[in-house]
Amino acid sequence: DTGVSQDPRHKITKRGQNVTFRCDPISEHNRLYWYRQTLGQGPEFLTYFQNEAQLEKSRLLSDRFSAERPKGSFSTLEIQRTEQGDSAMYLCASSSGMAPGNTIYFGEGSWLTVV
Amino acid sequence: AQSVTQPDIHITVSEGASLELRCNYSYGATPYLFWYVQSPGQGLQLLLKYFSGDTLVQGIKGFEAEFKRSQSSFNLRKPSVHWSDAAEYFCAVASGGFKTIFGAGTRLFVKA
């Protein structure tokens, strides 16, 4: 069990560029979540996958954001035409089991700075 | 809609003193409740969780929390704080679905 890993850990990009983050969940975890966290705030839910199916998306996930989990394993979060307001830490998490309250395990996050 | 309120943005306690971090939630049914800790620049680590049963739950690192339905609260406590406990603490609630909602967090400072 190597934990949830995220790549890259830090990304600085110019406004208008596209960025992609990758998340590798704990192996055999069937659920994967993306959260966004800004300074001084708690994580905000973005989206959630069960296996390869994206089951829920937050209103925070504008049409510039897209997340995929093509084979039910790793996931990518792409932000197109980045804006300064996208600067945040993007957290990935995973969980297993069927109960809704099963523990979710977080990665260390990917910091995005849009300049 | 479910929500979580952590009334204290930051708290400072002396090393060795007791600690209580407050958390109030809003949810119609019995919620699943969690406390997470986050060190600077890191992800979140689960301290403890409550689903049902005994309203006093024990967690890692000597933390405990008590669920009080009448007050819609789930306060985190520790009898004696260590300098290494300085971090940000998040209370969270999950409903019957799989979305976990977090509070804004309470930053704990520990003074020698």
Side-chain angles (χ1 to χ4, degrees):
Chain A
D1 181 352
T2 58
V4 178
S5 63
Q6 294 187 243
D7 183 71
R9 292 292 316 279
H10 299 89
K11 178 74 175 179
I12 300 174
T13 190
K14 292 183 178 179
R15 187 175 53 186
Q17 297 295 304
N18 299 344
V19 297
T20 299
F21 299 111
R22 176 182 170 121
C23 171
D24 288 273
I26 294 172
S27 58
E28 300 182 358
H29 275 191
N30 58 341
R31 297 195 182 85
L32 187 146
Y33 312 78
W34 285 99
Y35 283 81
R36 181 173 69 186
Q37 186 178 22
T38 53
L39 286 175
Q41 297 298 316
E44 297 173 294
F45 173 81
L46 292 179
T47 190
Y48 145 67
F49 291 83
Q50 181 163 313
N51 300 313
E52 66 276 8
Q54 188 173 20
L55 297 187
E56 189 170 350
K57 292 167 58 174
S58 164
R59 289 172 299 171
L60 294 173
L61 214 63
S62 75
D63 56 4
R64 296 185 298 105
F65 288 71
S66 62
E68 295 182 344
R69 194 182 184 197
K71 298 183 180 180
S73 57
F74 73 92
S75 175
T76 58
L77 176 68
E78 181 183 18
I79 308 174
Q80 296 181 327
R81 305 181 304 280
T82 53
E83 301 173 356
Q84 288 187 323
D86 297 331
S87 295
M89 181 162 70
Y90 291 85
L91 288 161
C92 179
S94 68
S95 69
S96 66
M98 296 302 295
N102 278 343
T103 301
I104 55 176
Y105 295 87
F106 283 86
E108 296 193 337
S110 293
W111 282 99
L112 173 64
T113 301
V114 182
V115 297
Chain B
Q2 59 198 83
S3 65
V4 178
T5 301
Q6 294 181 245
D8 304 304
I9 296 173
H10 56 80
I11 282 182
T12 300
V13 299
S14 298
E15 191 169 17
S18 63
L19 169 70
E20 181 169 29
L21 302 182
R22 297 184 291 162
C23 172
N24 293 96
Y25 67 90
S26 173
Y27 181 62
T30 299
Y32 300 89
L33 294 162
F34 307 83
W35 275 99
Y36 284 85
V37 61
Q38 184 178 38
S39 297
Q42 302 297 312
L44 285 79
Q45 180 184 24
L46 180 71
L47 287 175
L48 47 79
K49 59 185 179 182
Y50 171 79
F51 293 163
S52 64
D54 192 347
T55 56
L56 184 65
V57 294
Q58 303 296 319
I60 62 171
K61 303 184 180 185
F63 286 93
E64 66 177 27
E66 185 172 13
F67 170 61
K68 293 185 176 180
R69 183 189 302 276
S70 61
Q71 298 178 16
S72 297
S73 69
F74 188 57
N75 294 349
L76 181 72
R77 300 194 294 250
K78 186 170 185 177
S80 178
V81 169
H82 187 263
W83 65 266
S84 61
D85 294 324
E88 186 105 26
Y89 291 80
F90 294 96
C91 182
V93 61
S95 65
F98 295 91
K99 184 169 65 177
T100 300
I101 303 300
F102 289 82
T106 298
R107 178 160 294 279
L108 173 65
F109 297 95
V110 180
K111 59 182 180 181

